[in-house]
Amino acid sequence: MSTNTSIPTEGRANSDARQGLVLATLCAVTVLVIAFVAAINLAVPLLTSGSLHPSSTQLLWIVDSYVTVFACLVIPCGALGDRFGRKGVLTIGLILFAAGAAVSASSPTVAVMLIGRCVTGVGAACVLSNSLAILMHATPPQKRPRAIAIWASSTGFGGVAGNVGGGALLQTGSWRWLFVAVVPIALAGAAAVAYLAPRTPRNHRGLDPVGTVLLTAATFGLLVGVTEGPESGWGSITVISAFVASAALYAAWIIVELRVEQPLLDPRLFRLPLLRAGCLGMTVAFFGLFALFYVNASFLQYAKGFSVLATGLAVIPLTIPLLFGARFVPLISARLGSTITVAAAFAFIGVGMFGLSTSTAHTPYFAYALWLVVIGIGAAAALPVLTHDIADSLPLEQAGVGSGLQATAREFGSALGVAVIGTILTSRFISALPDAMRDGDGAAPRTVADGLEMADTPLAHDAVLSAFTTGADSAVRVIAVITLIAGCLVTAQSAWSNRTRTKETEQAH
């Protein structure tokens, strides 16, 4: 008798251990592709002074080509995983990620660097869209909320990991090491996925090539407009043309998808209030977080005089709530409800950013770190709930498309946050510079680096840093206001979706 009862117990323990290893592996590869978004920002000074000598526009696309390709292809790559096998697409994605990083590391020209960045973006799209899909299939329903919470926290942790890991690697003095280090990590992840990840049921729906091309092109146009806005000006022909083309392509995509028997992503899904709330919330959360990462790196280096490594380590306080939140957020959300949890999350993020906007070069780091913890609490509360809302809105056989949808919302929010805060920062920085630093036409330096290069006295040097601090404070404050207002909209949408679901449940009974 005792022998018979020990078998299922041992089998259950082995099953739990394997599920834990699968979860750890999927979270690790997710952290890798998200971290690469943030890490490149720290490499900008080294890229500027390095052998490639990129122009300002080329530098912009070295940073943003990865995110652009990533965001454009993440839904199609999710559909590929649903159709041909999520494990295989995820493994191939990690191999492509490693190959693209290797090309970038050895690139002799900007053109080759951009090719490598684009290949890496394709790999990242395969990874992020299928990692959550595999996790949902591999986890029993009763354990799924906690597993999703842990995975969602890893997406927030990825941004901080990129800052810390990138800072450590760039201490070598060469930007190439940032790419070299990624290659063995991605290949190890591919081997772990191939060995540990389970095969999941396939969805035999068609791939909808026309809808895929239209959606990809529309998303590309939107991101080009957002990315080029701070550099070319929001009223430039390039930016306006990109937005107009994007709107036309999205309209064409909707028309085509409504007529196709098996669409890539049915636009009618956005009638689901819970899906709308989740996508909007994910966009807003990453809008605020990556706007913060963008300014934080420059603020700590220029205003506080931190090294690249110290700058990366300085954001660690933000990760503390993310590390512990995955255990408690599902329980808190179940007790308080997702609406209250989301409302509190955006309140923490907004208030934390307001607190950071009061920081100056003389603010003690301890006070700065406390505001990072406040923001981290908000992120730790928001990401698991929003991820679960999106995942719960779609059938399990479309898990790849659902994962791709939330990844698109995340990457669009990240790109938009950087674009908006970059525009505000540049505008306020220029207006705060003394008149003595303007030329005969009234033009002034657009960046801190340019301003410091022009500063020929200690007084002028201090004036440039003061102008930057003023600009950074104003930019973070505006982002805080936008995040709070948008968070109210997300909360209202969440409340509506929960009321609608309650009514449907009552009618069903």
Side-chain angles (χ1 to χ4, degrees):
M1 184 72 114
S2 60
T3 303
N4 292 335
T5 56
S6 66
I7 293 174
T9 302
E10 183 180 346
R12 193 162 54 247
N14 290 335
S15 176
D16 289 345
R18 189 172 185 85
Q19 286 174 10
L21 288 173
V22 170
L23 175 59
T25 299
L26 296 175
C27 287
V29 297
T30 298
V31 168
L32 175 65
V33 299
I34 297 293
F36 218 42
V37 178
I40 193 66
N41 290 315
L42 294 174
V44 167
L46 292 175
L47 283 165
T48 303
S49 59
S51 58
L52 297 184
H53 299 296
S55 66
S56 59
T57 300
Q58 289 174 332
L59 185 62
L60 178 72
W61 281 105
I62 288 174
V63 173
D64 288 332
S65 55
Y66 171 75
V67 175
T68 302
V69 173
F70 188 173
C72 287
L73 295 182
V74 73
I75 292 178
C77 287
L80 279 176
D82 289 343
R83 178 69 177 82
F84 295 109
R86 301 173 183 93
K87 178 177 179 177
V89 173
L90 174 56
T91 304
I92 291 171
L94 286 164
I95 294 171
L96 285 174
F97 194 89
V103 170
S104 295
S106 58
S107 55
T109 64
V110 172
V112 176
M113 163 66 86
L114 290 174
I115 291 172
R117 293 287 284 163
C118 289
V119 172
T120 311
V122 175
C126 293
V127 171
L128 198 62
S129 59
N130 288 283
S131 58
L132 178 60
I134 292 174
L135 181 63
M136 291 178 64
H137 279 274
T139 309
Q142 67 274 17
K143 295 182 179 180
R144 200 169 291 152
R146 183 172 181 270
I148 290 176
I150 294 172
W151 184 91
S153 295
S154 74
T155 65
F157 182 75
V160 180
N163 279 278
V164 176
L169 290 167
L170 292 170
Q171 282 292 106
T172 61
S174 172
W175 54 265
R176 296 183 188 273
W177 280 106
L178 180 63
F179 297 94
V180 170
V182 164
V183 176
I185 297 173
L187 292 176
V193 168
Y195 178 71
L196 290 170
R199 296 189 180 277
T200 59
R202 299 184 184 184
N203 183 342
H204 296 290
R205 294 162 55 91
L207 289 178
D208 183 21
V210 176
T212 299
V213 170
L214 287 172
L215 180 60
T216 301
T219 306
F220 179 76
L222 179 62
L223 288 172
V224 166
V226 169
T227 302
E228 286 285 346
E231 184 73 16
S232 303
W234 293 99
S236 68
I237 294 177
T238 300
V239 173
I240 292 175
S241 298
F243 285 142
V244 170
S246 176
L249 288 166
Y250 273 124
W253 167 73
I254 291 172
I255 293 171
V256 168
E257 296 296 78
L258 292 177
R259 296 178 178 179
V260 173
E261 184 177 349
Q262 294 182 336
L264 171 73
L265 176 65
D266 192 339
R268 285 167 290 216
L269 289 172
F270 289 98
R271 294 176 182 173
L272 301 172
L274 196 62
L275 184 68
R276 289 200 304 270
C279 289
L280 177 60
M282 195 67 72
T283 299
V284 174
F286 276 81
F287 170 87
L289 288 174
F290 273 78
L292 169 65
F293 291 146
Y294 179 80
V295 168
N296 181 73
S298 297
F299 178 81
L300 292 178
Q301 290 182 74
Y302 287 123
K304 287 190 170 295
F306 283 21
S307 66
V308 177
L309 177 59
T311 298
L313 295 174
V315 296
I316 285 180
L318 194 148
T319 68
I320 296 172
L322 290 169
L323 292 174
F324 295 100
R327 167 180 274 181
F328 301 107
V329 169
L331 299 175
I332 294 172
S333 179
R335 174 166 294 187
L336 300 180
S338 60
T339 300
I340 294 177
T341 305
V342 167
F346 283 108
F348 272 104
I349 293 173
V351 170
M353 287 187 170
F354 265 116
L356 282 182
S357 72
T358 64
S359 300
T360 68
H362 305 293
T363 300
Y365 172 72
F366 178 75
Y368 193 85
L370 284 179
W371 289 120
L372 288 177
V373 171
V374 172
I375 295 171
I377 292 172
L383 299 184
V385 176
L386 296 170
T387 300
H388 185 270
D389 284 352
I390 296 173
D392 203 37
S393 299
L394 297 173
L396 199 57
E397 62 268 19
Q398 285 188 281
V401 172
S403 181
L405 181 60
Q406 70 153 305
T408 300
R410 181 188 301 113
E411 298 311 316
F412 175 67
S414 302
L416 187 61
V418 170
V420 171
I421 202 166
T423 300
I424 299 168
L425 176 60
T426 300
S427 174
R428 291 292 296 125
F429 170 70
I430 292 174
S431 64
L433 285 171
D435 292 337
M437 299 199 70
R438 303 176 190 276
D439 60 23
D441 297 326
R446 292 179 57 85
T447 66
V448 183
D450 291 342
L452 292 176
E453 189 175 338
M454 288 179 59
D456 52 5
T457 66
L459 190 61
H461 183 279
D462 292 343
V464 171
L465 293 182
S466 176
F468 169 75
T469 303
T470 299
D473 289 347
S474 299
V476 172
R477 203 168 294 124
V478 171
I479 294 297
V481 172
I482 294 174
T483 302
L484 285 171
I485 294 174
C488 291
L489 295 177
V490 175
T491 302
Q493 182 69 73
S494 177
W496 181 29
S497 66
N498 286 327
R499 282 198 300 270
T500 302
R501 175 175 283 193
T502 301
K503 289 179 182 179
E504 291 175 349
T505 303
E506 291 175 349
Q507 290 174 358
H509 288 83

